[in-house]
Amino acid sequence: MSDATPRETIFSGIQPSGELHLGNYLGAIRNWVALQSSYRCFYCIVDYHAITQAFEPSEMARRVRDMAGDLIACGIDPAQSTLFVQSAVPEHTELAWVLASVTSYGELGRMTQFKDKSEKSPDNINAGLFTYPVLQAADILVYKATKVPVGEDQRQHLELAREIVRRFNTRFGDTFPEPEALYSSTPKILGLDGQAKMSKSLGNTISLREDDEAVWNKLRTAATDPARVRRTDAGDPDKCNVFSLHRFFTTEERQAEVRKGCTSASIGCIECKKWLLEGIKADLERIRARRAELLSKPDAIDEILADGARRARKVAAATMAVVRERLGLPRMPGPAG
Ligand code: SF4
């Protein structure tokens, strides 16, 4: 694909968690899909990041393939974006080693995600977890990405990546652009408990693959405005997580109807949730249909990922050739010559 004006480059990654849930879809993937037409997008399934936490090797290939299938079903177009797996492009880890040499131990120790993950898994505080932000910086910089769609929780890592760029460029010459965050306007998606961010590990999610009955069973018991204890109590939709999901899945007319009915206690929460279910069902049915179509061609996903890796590698190898030259390392044969 060629453009008269070169488009800015975006990089974003997602771990092969097995399956996407509504929080991923609303908070990140819908945004990825929207960005495809305006940017040159590299979307990566970051399996090397995933191995820094406990995992089952026999499940990894399936997790990666499932994530690719979900992303494509949600609207990532492999003809428009480069969709690939991190471990298929060895330049990511190669550049990470180089960048680690301009990153200080103290900086990595200050990363709050490292502290949080270490507290959660005290038996598995490995060096990969510690240097995770350096690999993240390499993921971005190997494509010279200038924009990175991130959530607020990634702000610190992106700031570190920018610091790494400044240090590398000062020491070895202007090589990388400073990547900027592209914050989504989507507010944080709370889980069905209405308390914490939607997260698979907290069990407060709806998976994109759940059938209508399973979705309803979860929705039926989802937290609402805590002040609305009885059916006759008026509620406040702005204090209700169910209403925040309505904003994504139902029409403005329906939302106005909910607001009126909730604040006057003329509708019950079950009725309100049934309306939401109809909206969610329509979206999930479309995603499930696309996914089933993909899975009907067994090798299709593998071929898409192999093609994505070839395209990504061409760019990554060219960057590494420059990096090696700047570092005074011997010239290596490879796709970039
Ligand atoms: Fe929430 Fe709807 Fe119940 Fe109001 S009626 S509290 S918006 S679930």
Side-chain angles (χ1 to χ4, degrees):
M1 192 184 305
S2 68
D3 289 320
T5 313
R7 290 180 298 171
E8 279 194 83
T9 300
I10 275 187
F11 175 91
S12 202
I14 188 164
Q15 288 210 16
S17 58
E19 52 190 289
L20 286 176
H21 56 68
L22 277 191
N24 308 128
Y25 176 57
L26 302 175
I29 308 307
R30 279 187 359 158
N31 191 31
W32 285 18
V33 172
L35 293 168
Q36 294 184 112
S37 54
S38 321
Y39 292 89
R40 175 186 181 228
C41 299
F42 289 87
Y43 292 139
C44 183
I45 299 171
V46 290
D47 52 350
Y48 273 154
H49 285 295
I51 64 170
T52 58
Q53 289 178 291
F55 73 104
E56 175 49 54
S58 63
E59 291 175 4
M60 185 57 93
R62 178 193 56 75
R63 280 170 50 184
V64 166
R65 213 173 282 126
D66 282 353
M67 180 54 75
D70 278 349
L71 291 174
I72 298 166
C74 286
I76 298 299
D77 176 2
Q80 211 173 13
S81 300
T82 303
L83 177 66
F84 65 104
V85 182
Q86 187 183 32
S87 64
V89 182
E91 285 79 5
H92 285 239
T93 40
E94 192 181 352
L95 181 58
W97 182 257
V98 172
L99 299 182
S101 68
V102 294
T103 310
S104 76
Y105 180 87
E107 282 170 321
L108 292 174
R110 284 195 289 277
M111 294 293 116
T112 50
Q113 271 200 19
F114 172 68
K115 291 180 196 164
D116 290 348
K117 286 181 181 172
S118 301
E119 272 169 29
K120 276 184 198 145
S121 310
D123 300 332
N124 188 24
I125 307 174
N126 58 73
L129 204 58
F130 189 66
T131 55
Y132 191 110
V134 182
L135 180 55
Q136 268 188 332
D139 295 337
I140 300 162
L141 300 181
V142 83
Y143 302 104
K144 298 190 177 173
T146 51
K147 295 278 191 301
V148 187
V150 284
E152 192 54 41
D153 55 348
Q154 291 298 321
R155 182 189 284 269
Q156 197 184 24
H157 285 186
L158 191 66
E159 278 308 316
L160 178 62
R162 289 165 60 83
E163 177 58 35
I164 289 172
V165 167
R166 290 191 286 271
R167 214 169 288 159
F168 187 98
N169 288 352
T170 303
R171 172 83 177 82
F172 300 108
D174 205 15
T175 307
F176 299 112
E178 272 186 50
E180 287 174 13
L182 206 58
Y183 293 111
S184 156
S185 54
T186 307
K188 188 160 85 173
I189 312 298
L190 290 182
L192 298 174
D193 51 8
Q195 304 282 324
K197 184 177 167 182
M198 198 176 269
S199 154
K200 194 176 170 192
S201 60
L202 296 175
N204 61 3
T205 65
I206 290 177
S207 157
L208 297 192
R209 292 201 212 137
E210 280 177 293
D211 62 25
D212 296 343
E213 191 184 344
V215 172
W216 174 242
N217 284 338
K218 287 188 171 176
L219 218 46
R220 201 169 42 85
T221 54
T224 59
D225 173 8
R228 194 173 190 203
V229 181
R230 290 174 299 268
R231 168 69 178 74
T232 49
D233 294 336
D236 181 351
D238 295 325
K239 292 184 180 149
C240 176
N241 192 40
V242 170
F243 187 69
S244 60
L245 290 173
H246 265 278
R247 294 183 206 271
F248 293 104
F249 294 107
T250 60
T251 62
E252 283 182 14
E253 291 74 29
R254 181 64 94 193
Q255 288 163 36
E257 209 175 342
V258 168
R259 185 171 289 283
K260 197 169 165 209
C262 177
T263 51
S264 61
S266 60
I267 62 164
C269 290
I270 287 293
E271 192 175 3
C272 175
K273 289 173 174 179
K274 280 185 179 159
W275 289 340
L276 174 59
L277 178 71
E278 290 310 310
I280 293 179
K281 266 166 69 176
D283 248 28
L284 294 198
E285 269 164 21
R286 182 177 45 81
I287 292 171
R288 280 198 294 255
R290 276 204 211 158
R291 197 166 189 285
E293 191 191 326
L294 263 176
L295 293 179
S296 67
K297 300 171 216 147
D299 298 329
I301 292 176
D302 290 350
E303 281 166 20
I304 287 168
L305 292 176
D307 180 57
R310 270 192 295 274
R311 283 154 51 193
R313 227 185 147 188
K314 213 170 152 191
V315 180
T319 303
M320 277 315 298
V322 173
V323 168
R324 284 193 210 101
E325 196 188 313
R326 297 272 152 91
L327 265 64
L329 300 173
R331 192 173 169 80
M332 302 293 289

